[in-house]
Amino acid sequence: MQNYLDLLQQIKFCGEYRGDRTGTGTQAIFGTSLRCNLADGFPLLTTKRVWVHGVLQELLWFLSGETNIKRLTDNKVYIWDEWATEDGELGPVYGVQWRKWKAHNREVDQIAVLIEGLKNNPNSRRHLLSAWNVADLPSESLSPQQNALVGNMALAPCHLLAQFFVSTTGKLSIQVYQRSADILLGVPFDLASYAFLTHMIAHVCGYTVGEMVYIFGDTHIYNNHREQVDLQLTRKPM
């Protein structure tokens, strides 16, 4: 994925230095994108290791609708542990929003609605999957654990909206919007996750895969990742 390395280089040379929530500091640019044709291959980086087991286990956890980290830790995935309560709860994060969005005393299963729509009304422009539920967002004055204990999300979603498109040739494409993009660690993981999701939904609906378009808002390199970024830029993708 040479376009990913090009984006790294663009941030390195054109990004502005900014503070951030973690106190680490970043170099960032706003409003970037990556595009790849899933029919030509899977967007897994070859210039760094991407933990495929973790990607798949997290995606299956999202799709299960669960909010407790037990399923993850049982599968030796600990990426959410830092933000969970002592009981392993994270509040209404991705899985709840995807599968159990609360509205008017009922729950909406967005995945089920999405699949039904893709199968039965492929030309619709409403094939959306949203995780940005304003009512459940965390308070910035509370810790992640405190937010989860009072019923909020432990963390606000970074990748918050996906739209699907069915071409006249039966190819399923996806466009994702991510408000906050940790380009070195988070983005390679997220690219693989949404590519897997697109393959899964295409399979269930009887389509082949098309393009994946990924749009980023605040696209940043953490200051403590600069050496790793420089190393990435010396490598050639396979």
Side-chain angles (χ1 to χ4, degrees):
M1 290 185 65
Q2 184 60 48
N3 55 353
Y4 168 81
L5 296 179
D6 293 343
L7 180 55
L8 272 185
Q9 186 158 289
Q10 181 185 359
I11 300 168
K12 176 182 176 181
F13 289 106
C14 302
E16 63 177 56
Y17 289 94
R18 297 165 57 84
D20 74 292
R21 174 181 57 82
T22 69
T24 307
T26 66
Q27 190 176 8
I29 55 179
F30 183 71
T32 63
S33 65
L34 293 174
R35 179 186 290 264
C36 63
N37 189 344
L38 297 178
D40 290 340
F42 194 87
L44 192 70
L45 295 190
T46 56
T47 52
K48 72 183 294 290
R49 289 184 178 181
V50 179
W51 190 30
V52 174
H53 172 76
V55 172
L56 281 170
Q57 290 298 332
E58 185 193 54
L59 177 58
L60 293 172
W61 177 64
F62 289 164
L63 290 168
S64 76
E66 296 175 16
T67 63
N68 194 287
I69 61 173
K70 185 178 186 305
R71 179 191 178 109
L72 294 175
T73 57
D74 285 349
N75 286 283
K76 297 181 171 55
V77 176
Y78 307 107
I79 55 178
W80 282 87
D81 289 23
E82 180 180 349
W83 297 284
T85 66
E86 290 184 1
D87 295 327
E89 288 296 330
L90 290 159
V93 290
Y94 293 98
V96 166
Q97 306 308 330
W98 285 13
R99 306 306 306 266
K100 303 173 184 177
W101 184 295
K102 290 181 173 54
H104 306 298
N105 299 316
R106 64 188 179 95
E107 290 182 346
V108 178
D109 184 340
Q110 290 194 81
I111 295 293
V113 171
L114 174 65
I115 289 172
E116 181 183 6
L118 288 169
K119 285 182 175 180
N120 299 319
N121 188 15
N123 292 334
S124 174
R125 295 185 287 268
R126 300 184 182 186
H127 300 311
L128 299 175
L129 178 62
S130 176
W132 194 260
N133 187 339
V134 176
D136 291 339
L137 292 178
S139 167
E140 295 190 75
S141 65
L142 300 176
S143 70
Q145 293 78 13
Q146 289 170 328
N147 272 298
L149 287 170
V150 299
N152 298 332
M153 303 175 189
L155 293 176
C158 291
H159 42 93
L160 56 97
L161 183 67
Q163 182 174 2
F164 294 82
F165 177 89
V166 182
S167 73
T168 54
T169 57
K171 290 186 175 183
L172 180 69
S173 295
I174 184 174
Q175 179 167 281
V176 182
Y177 182 77
Q178 184 159 334
R179 65 173 180 87
S180 176
D182 172 359
I183 195 70
L184 184 77
L185 292 183
V187 165
F189 198 96
D190 298 329
L191 290 172
S193 182
Y194 275 99
F196 276 127
L197 179 64
T198 307
H199 273 276
M200 293 164 73
I201 292 177
H203 175 74
V204 169
C205 294
Y207 299 125
T208 57
V209 290
E211 287 194 299
M212 181 168 73
V213 183
Y214 219 113
I215 300 173
F216 307 106
D218 188 315
T219 317
H220 51 267
I221 297 168
Y222 279 102
N223 290 338
N224 59 351
H225 292 167
R226 295 185 63 77
E227 289 186 11
Q228 294 98 314
V229 167
D230 290 340
L231 178 59
Q232 281 284 287
L233 293 174
T234 67
R235 295 172 173 170
K236 299 293 184 183
M238 293 187 290

